[in-house]
Amino acid sequence: KAGVTQTPRYLIKTRGQQVTLSCSPISGHRSVSWYQQTPGQGLQFLFEYFSETQRNKGNFPGRFSGRQFSNSRSEMNVSTLELGDSALYLCASSIGRTNEKLFFGSGTQLSVL
Amino acid sequence: GESVGLHLPTLSVQEGDNSIINCAYSNSASDYFIWYKQESGKGPQFIIDIRSNMDKRQGQRVTVLLNKTVKHLSLQIAATQPGDSAVYFCAENIRVRGNTGKLIFGQGTTLQVKP
């Protein structure tokens, strides 16, 4: 069974631009969560989607948004990028019940210059 | 507040010894706990989980202990191997409403295995 797939693996953007990251969950998994990982703040929860609906949201500004498609694939978008948005963005999927046995992808490393 | 903390940022052990990684959590409402292992350049890898109605769970070479009285979680790795070298995170699920929750991660402990 293929794992969680995230694309692209690396991304370099400049301040003010926007970016879209993609995540394909494990087949059969309906819940997709996004996390931001930085050396200073560690792993922080962004949001979670289940059956195309945002089920939970972390404490991030409105510049961070996401969506989930009918095939459970998910995208997250960050608009008006800031230097502090440089981070590893991780996607995780689970079968259904929130946060149980979350499986993570390798992440997208975003650098904002 | 919501926080999950680890007692030591780095743990160094000899190959073959047992490792114990500790974690303190603050939210009494947390109902589920997970340990993850993260190697350089990879996402966190699920190791073992435990529900709040249990105090011990065993996997292959790993054991998780939960002490709700003092809000303490530990991961024990038996016969530590060089491949166990990684950063280990504990996480707690804080139930928000219904069947939803937020997963709060600790800062991580780096395990170094000396040959």
Side-chain angles (χ1 to χ4, degrees):
Chain A
K1 202 182 230 185
V4 177
T5 304
Q6 291 188 247
T7 57
R9 185 73 178 90
Y10 300 95
L11 207 49
I12 300 175
K13 293 285 187 179
T14 56
R15 280 180 299 174
Q17 287 187 309
Q18 74 166 19
V19 65
T20 299
L21 312 181
S22 181
C23 171
S24 293
I26 292 172
S27 178
H29 284 194
R30 298 170 63 191
S31 170
V32 174
S33 300
W34 288 90
Y35 288 81
Q36 182 195 65
Q37 186 174 29
T38 59
Q41 298 298 317
L43 276 152
Q44 293 192 295
F45 172 71
L46 280 155
F47 27 65
E48 185 222 350
Y49 288 88
F50 181 81
S51 293
E52 302 178 66
T53 301
Q54 188 180 85
R55 189 157 67 172
N56 220 334
K57 190 177 187 305
N59 298 321
F60 278 82
R63 300 186 296 107
F64 292 81
S65 63
R67 59 178 176 169
Q68 186 181 33
F69 302 96
S70 57
N71 61 358
S72 293
R73 193 178 68 84
S74 178
E75 289 181 347
M76 69 162 281
N77 184 277
V78 188
S79 62
T80 320
L81 284 165
E82 301 176 0
L83 295 179
D85 296 333
S86 294
L88 180 66
Y89 289 89
L90 292 159
C91 169
S93 74
S94 65
I95 287 177
R97 291 193 64 182
T98 302
N99 299 325
E100 290 204 3
K101 291 185 173 56
L102 272 184
F103 290 92
F104 283 83
S106 293
T108 294
Q109 184 67 54
L110 172 65
S111 297
V112 182
L113 307 177
Chain B
E2 295 172 356
S3 67
V4 178
L6 291 165
H7 291 284
L8 293 173
T10 303
L11 175 66
S12 186
V13 300
Q14 204 70 39
E15 181 179 357
D17 287 352
N18 297 333
S19 303
I20 299 177
I21 302 173
N22 295 304
C23 179
Y25 65 94
S26 60
N27 198 309
S28 301
S30 297
D31 62 352
Y32 176 68
F33 303 85
I34 316 173
W35 280 100
Y36 283 95
K37 170 188 179 184
Q38 188 173 25
E39 296 172 289
S40 181
K42 298 183 179 180
Q45 176 188 353
F46 174 91
I47 301 174
I48 192 168
D49 58 357
I50 188 168
R51 293 184 186 277
S52 59
N53 61 353
M54 304 170 68
D55 52 23
K56 181 180 180 179
R57 190 156 189 232
Q58 288 184 294
Q60 188 176 11
R61 279 201 310 120
V62 295
T63 301
V64 55
L65 298 176
L66 175 63
N67 185 330
K68 293 181 288 294
T69 302
V70 295
K71 298 194 189 72
H72 185 268
L73 189 71
S74 69
L75 176 70
Q76 299 177 3
I77 304 174
T80 312
Q81 302 168 0
D84 294 327
S85 294
V87 179
Y88 289 80
F89 294 94
C90 65
E92 61 176 322
N93 183 61
I94 300 172
R95 189 168 292 277
V96 175
R97 58 186 177 280
N99 199 31
T100 68
K102 292 196 301 182
L103 203 58
I104 308 297
F105 282 83
Q107 289 300 306
T109 290
T110 299
L111 177 64
Q112 297 175 339
V113 182
K114 296 177 288 186

